Amino acid sequence: AHCSYSLDVSGGWYDAGDHGKYVVNGGISVWTLFNQYERALHLAGSAGDLGDGKMLIPERGNGVPDILDEARWELDFMLRMQVPKGKKQAGMVHHKMHDAGWTPLGMPPHLDPKQRYLANPSTAATLNLAAVAAQGARLWSKLDPAYSAKCLTAAERAWAAAKRHPDVYAPTGADGGGGPYDDTDVSDEFYWAAAELFITTGAAEYLEFMKASP
């Protein structure tokens, strides 16, 4: 379905050999990096191995652990995929972004000639953003308080939107230029998002949701 707006969804990681970017794939990838760092904080001597200047990335030397800088590159893309306020399904997150048709393998992204488009929002993508943005909010709380607040606002908007639209699923099957990455059981994503939001906020709503989950 066509929407009445366009979004700048630059940044982030391409999924594979094509030029698609997918929120549900990005979510678990961001979480893996964030979680590696968060666990390292509790293991003696480990966090320094992931610190500033350890990775050959453009952001090295900025006073922020490189692993968090790299994860933020994808999280920023995910934040851009959220439906703006005032629009239908506001707070939901577009499932993916990719070309209208497949491009040849090996083509650099900056030479890609095809039109790119946003897929419809999905509950799964929305909950992926809710989870990793909530996690990002606590990891960035001292490093960049303004960014931390932005992440938490987005996470809470996404959670509320998912509660309003709990069964909006991505279409099955390929649709030209990208994979479906569909899922019709998002109970695990709901639990994951609630857990991350509870760890960050301590709010009873999320604890009660987890307790009620099978």
Side-chain angles (χ1 to χ4, degrees):
H2 293 287
C3 57
S4 61
Y5 58 88
S6 61
L7 295 177
D8 173 3
V9 294
S10 55
W13 304 320
Y14 289 103
D15 182 60
D18 61 88
H19 297 126
K21 296 187 287 190
Y22 306 86
V23 171
V24 295
N25 303 23
I28 187 61
S29 303
V30 170
W31 177 86
T32 300
L33 295 185
F34 277 166
N35 202 54
Q36 184 177 357
Y37 180 76
E38 197 163 24
R39 287 173 61 86
L41 293 175
H42 303 282
L43 299 173
S46 296
D49 296 336
L50 307 172
D52 190 26
K54 295 293 187 179
M55 299 170 64
L56 293 177
I57 59 173
E59 298 87 354
R60 67 182 310 196
N62 65 351
V64 174
D66 287 341
I67 195 170
L68 298 186
D69 278 325
E70 184 60 38
R72 178 171 173 166
W73 180 252
E74 176 70 5
L75 179 54
D76 282 345
F77 156 73
M78 294 175 65
L79 291 168
R80 295 183 186 112
M81 292 285 279
Q82 192 165 33
V83 178
K85 294 179 180 178
K87 303 296 183 182
K88 183 180 179 182
Q89 296 181 315
M92 293 282 283
V93 177
H94 289 276
H95 192 71
K96 56 182 180 173
M97 184 286 300
H98 59 66
D99 291 335
W102 296 106
T103 52
L105 287 175
M107 174 180 284
H110 68 284
L111 298 181
D112 181 1
K114 294 186 179 292
Q115 181 73 34
R116 299 179 182 187
Y117 67 92
L118 290 165
N120 287 335
S122 72
T123 305
T126 303
L127 290 166
N128 268 260
L129 178 65
V132 297
Q135 188 180 23
R138 64 177 180 266
L139 288 175
W140 289 85
S141 60
K142 294 181 180 178
L143 293 167
D144 189 338
Y147 184 67
S148 171
K150 176 182 177 179
C151 286
L152 184 55
T153 296
E156 291 175 332
R157 285 187 63 222
W159 173 262
K163 294 290 292 293
R164 292 194 303 270
H165 306 282
D167 53 2
V168 178
Y169 304 126
T172 60
D175 55 356
Y181 298 106
D182 52 303
D183 186 4
T184 56
D185 180 3
V186 294
S187 60
D188 49 340
E189 282 88 352
F190 265 112
Y191 187 91
W192 176 31
E196 296 293 354
L197 279 159
F198 175 68
I199 295 168
T200 297
T201 68
E205 173 189 356
Y206 308 120
L207 179 61
E208 294 308 313
F209 188 94
M210 286 191 291
K211 286 181 176 179
S213 171

